[in-house]
Amino acid sequence: MRAWPSPDVPVLPTTGPAVTLHDSATDALVTTSPRGAARMYVCGITPYDATHMGHAATYVAFDLLNRAWRSAGHEVTYVQNVTDVDDPLLERATRVNVDWRELALRETELFRQDMAALRVLAPAHFVGAVESIPLVVDLIETLQAAGSIYAVEDDLYFSVTADPAFGSHSRLSTAQMLEIYPERGGDPERPGKRDPLDCVVWRGAREGEPSWESPFGPGRPGWHVECTAIAMEHLGGAFDVQGGGSDLVFPHHEMCAGHAHVADPTNVFAQVYAHAGMVAYDGEKMSKSRGNLVFVSALRNSDVDPMAIRLVLLNHHYRSDWEWLDGELWEAVDTLQTWRRALSLGAGAPAEPVVTEVLTALAEDLDAPRAVAAVQAWVDATLGVSGHLADASDADAALTMHSLLDAALGLAL
Ligand code: ZN
């Protein structure tokens, strides 16, 4: 499907360092070393409701990675899916009495507008589940040939024991996986399953639900296999980074890795599994079921500067869990006003060292708060807050800083 219009990325005078990233599968910092274009897959939305701040935080986090790689001189092939048919979407469509296709189209369009407003670089391939059904069918047939698929009534399941590495990506014990699984869409209790952790890859047609013809009978794809099929098709094996929110560590990314490994035992799915923290509001993780959501579109409709929203997100390290506080948004609005004042002067404190500091901070596990602090120090010096501008003025500082803010942090001021 169509992505959103991607903002231009200014070219910086300095090349950034190689990018290190925390890998959830090894709990270690890994230096990414893309061969050719850097390849990144970030799990997309299920378009049944507007983009909330938890989503925005995840997509801005991986946008920083996209930008850090570009600063380091890499091209980036970015793929994102849209789960445009799945239980939550169908349930919501029924509840609000809207055709599920119409709901998916509407919410996907709103997501595009939110991403464009936040200046998130668009994926090269923005791929829906429905349009990927032939890919999913192919992958299930490959998994079938490998002996890892069995039926429970009209549904097909993937046998997790087929992957000897199953569990290694999330580093969870079987007991921990069993505890989390039902909270995240799993059905460990279903009679007929060989292992409680096995996941559905093809859901047979149900009365009143959409379905598509396949060699396994009419039905629709499971969620995990959708991402595996899309990622393998557009990125190939052992791509650089599989990304998403930390609630995808298990089962979603574990299952994707399992499918890919069984489909091609000589390969791995991704080299690094990176996860963004959860955003809370009113003391609890922001989630649809709790109803404690702050929507990007609602703030935009109240004429909030999207760059201020983005700055709030940048002020929290992507891996931390944090709470959205309205006060931080108003502080960000004030901060940007000060930054714009400093940029309007043209000349300022030397910008070159700030370029290096910001690119270095972002290359070290996307340390956006440190990058923001470096910009703030430049603003303070330029506005004379720290009082040592006179002996170190840079006539083109504002030009350089404009480019830096835009290219590295996605802030167009
Ligand atoms: Zn996914």
Side-chain angles (χ1 to χ4, degrees):
M1 55 176 66
R2 173 177 58 83
W4 56 93
S6 206
D8 290 332
V9 182
V11 177
L12 295 174
T14 312
T15 304
V19 181
T20 61
L21 201 61
H22 178 265
D23 174 29
S24 301
T26 51
D27 193 23
L29 283 177
V30 173
T31 302
T32 61
S33 50
R35 286 186 298 273
R39 294 170 296 153
M40 168 168 76
Y41 187 92
V42 180
C43 291
I45 56 162
T46 301
Y48 64 100
D49 208 344
T51 320
H52 63 65
M53 222 42 83
H55 298 132
T58 295
Y59 298 117
V60 166
F62 291 101
D63 188 54
L64 293 176
L65 174 58
N66 193 334
R67 290 167 184 275
W69 270 332
R70 285 165 195 266
S71 299
H74 301 291
E75 284 182 36
V76 179
T77 305
Y78 175 23
V79 179
Q80 187 182 135
N81 68 307
V82 178
T83 306
D84 57 357
V85 63
D86 201 8
D87 296 346
L89 172 68
L90 299 175
E91 285 160 16
R92 170 87 172 177
T94 304
R95 203 161 54 243
V96 298
N97 198 25
V98 177
D99 184 273
W100 64 274
R101 281 159 291 217
E102 199 181 306
L103 179 63
L105 281 175
R106 189 176 76 201
E107 297 303 337
T108 304
E109 181 52 28
L110 190 57
F111 175 73
R112 288 188 188 99
Q113 291 169 13
D114 288 337
M115 291 299 105
L118 292 172
R119 295 183 70 79
V120 172
L121 300 175
H125 304 279
F126 188 53
V127 190
V130 171
E131 65 186 341
S132 305
I133 287 172
L135 294 178
V136 170
V137 167
D138 282 354
L139 176 57
I140 294 174
E141 287 184 317
T142 304
L143 295 173
Q144 243 173 352
S148 65
I149 300 293
Y150 64 94
V152 177
E153 296 167 80
D154 290 337
D155 302 334
L156 294 186
Y157 277 83
F158 170 72
S159 186
V160 295
T161 53
D163 176 19
F166 183 76
S168 64
H169 303 86
S170 49
R171 295 179 295 113
L172 295 173
S173 67
T174 303
Q176 288 170 317
M177 288 193 269
L178 279 170
E179 193 185 325
I180 299 172
Y181 199 35
E183 295 162 14
R184 298 189 183 155
D187 56 356
E189 306 281 340
R190 184 167 181 188
K193 288 177 64 174
R194 292 180 190 166
D195 185 303
L197 292 171
D198 291 347
C199 70
V200 72
V201 291
W202 188 257
R203 187 175 151 88
R206 305 307 202 255
E207 179 76 35
E209 288 187 2
S211 62
W212 289 264
E213 287 305 323
S214 83
F216 341 109
R220 57 183 165 90
W223 170 40
H224 311 306
V225 76
E226 164 202 339
C227 276
T228 320
I230 295 172
M232 287 172 74
E233 169 73 9
H234 293 286
L235 295 172
F239 59 87
D240 294 281
V241 171
Q242 161 74 311
S246 59
D247 53 348
L248 298 186
V249 170
F250 184 85
H252 188 52
H253 289 170
E254 190 70 66
M255 295 297 180
C256 293
H259 299 329
H261 198 217
V262 172
D264 181 359
T266 64
N267 219 332
V268 295
F269 186 52
Q271 297 184 47
V272 171
Y273 295 82
H275 295 100
M278 294 288 110
V279 182
Y281 188 58
D282 280 344
E284 290 197 88
K285 179 195 150 185
M286 218 178 267
S287 76
K288 180 71 206 144
S289 53
R290 294 192 183 93
N292 56 338
L293 302 173
V294 178
F295 293 114
V296 175
S297 48
L299 292 176
R300 289 197 290 115
N301 289 337
S302 321
D303 292 327
V304 171
D305 177 2
M307 293 298 94
I309 301 173
R310 187 163 172 123
L311 181 56
V312 174
L313 302 176
L314 297 176
N315 278 328
H316 297 272
H317 192 274
Y318 83 99
R319 278 205 284 137
S320 61
D321 295 326
W322 54 283
E323 178 158 4
W324 176 271
L325 300 172
D326 294 333
E328 289 190 14
L329 179 60
W330 310 128
E331 277 170 32
V333 168
D334 289 346
T335 299
L336 290 185
Q337 201 173 9
T338 311
W339 287 14
R340 285 185 171 110
R341 191 151 50 86
L343 291 167
S344 72
L345 299 178
E352 288 287 333
V354 191
V355 174
T356 304
E357 269 181 82
V358 166
L359 295 185
T360 303
L362 291 169
E364 292 175 9
D365 200 23
L366 313 177
D367 194 346
R370 200 171 111 207
V372 168
V375 174
Q376 186 63 52
W378 175 86
V379 168
D380 290 346
T382 295
L383 293 176
V385 174
S386 50
H388 46 66
L389 172 62
D391 58 337
S393 190
D394 172 350
D396 297 323
L399 268 178
T400 308
M401 290 300 293
H402 264 294
S403 299
L404 174 66
L405 287 165
D406 193 353
L409 293 169
L411 291 170
L413 301 184

